[in-house]
Amino acid sequence: METETRPKILVLGSLNLDLVLHVARMPGAGETLASEESATFCGGKGANQAVACARMGAAVSMIGRVGDDPAGAMLRAALADEGIDLAGVTTTPATLSGLAVILLTPDGQNRILLASGANARFRADDVTAHAGEFDSARVMVCQLEVPLESVESAIALAAAQGVPVLLNPAPARALPDDLLARVDYLVPNESEASMLTGVEVRDEASAAVAAGLLLGRGVRCVVITLGASGILIADEHGHRRMPALPTTVIDTTAAGDSFIGGFATGVAEGLSVDDAARLGLSVARLCVSRAGAQASLPRRHEI
């Protein structure tokens, strides 16, 4: 497939080196717990979503920052190997790249600690410096692992150029209504939807209430990921739940990122919201059956 015929997706966000520690259980307060195994992977929600989109067949450009260190070189090389345009990825002098320490239990559940590193140096000026990357993009994908000012700048620029915005509000934090009103697709998980609305999201009914509140704040379409229970979609046509596809869970670290990669690519290809969501669920099914973040992301021919 020639690049010119592939839909362009612009991803703005974080790049991290992931240190995964396999543990029998999560440690308690003040407890030292030995890891049974460790591994290092390329990650970061922004980079993961960029790779997920690229492996679904999109032409992907990324805007972000890495440190001037071996991890930064490794992160850039991993994205280059996927054919991702790195013109917008800046190497930051005298700064370490972002680092994520991930505790992973045998049932595939995880806890993540982040050291932002170069991601914290990402500013609105970085967005305007690479404004040309927004040209011809079918959708702009962003998250919250970089400073909010840069996300707000990117969303404003995308809205001004008529580029649909997909926001994954992770890590969870309160967001202003004027930002949400510019978001076309908001994709939070249960805890993020709870943070944004004050509604404890624990099932389909509470997810529908939270989604309704987010629509009321100006979001055009809300997709709440519910883990093993699937997703809930809410838009002008009402709300509906789609179940997760059956699979054997090994590692859920990139589950949400893989769903977003499939969903964003479907949207960029012109699929309906429901069909794009089905593609996202198919990607997530394969992703969680494998280990690692970017290493677990499937390619389109596997779906």
Side-chain angles (χ1 to χ4, degrees), residues 229-284:
S229 297
I231 61 172
L232 180 126
I233 302 172
D235 56 18
E236 62 183 349
H237 304 295
H239 73 268
R240 55 270 188 206
R241 187 181 72 84
M242 291 185 181
L245 301 176
T247 190
T248 299
V249 176
I250 301 297
D251 184 352
T252 60
T253 300
D257 297 334
S258 67
F259 172 81
I260 287 171
F263 180 71
T265 302
V267 168
E269 291 176 349
L271 299 183
S272 68
V273 168
D274 287 18
D275 284 344
R278 291 186 184 97
L279 178 58
L281 287 168
S282 296
V283 178

Side-chain angles (χ1 to χ4, degrees), residues 22-69:
H22 293 260
V23 293
R25 57 178 175 78
M26 294 299 168
E31 179 182 12
T32 299
L33 188 64
S35 171
E36 301 168 349
E37 182 184 350
S38 65
T40 301
F41 299 97
C42 293
K45 294 193 73 65
N48 291 346
Q49 292 172 17
V51 171
C53 292
R55 291 187 181 177
M56 286 298 101
V60 180
S61 296
M62 183 161 188
I63 303 177
R65 279 187 176 266
V66 297
D68 186 13
D69 58 0

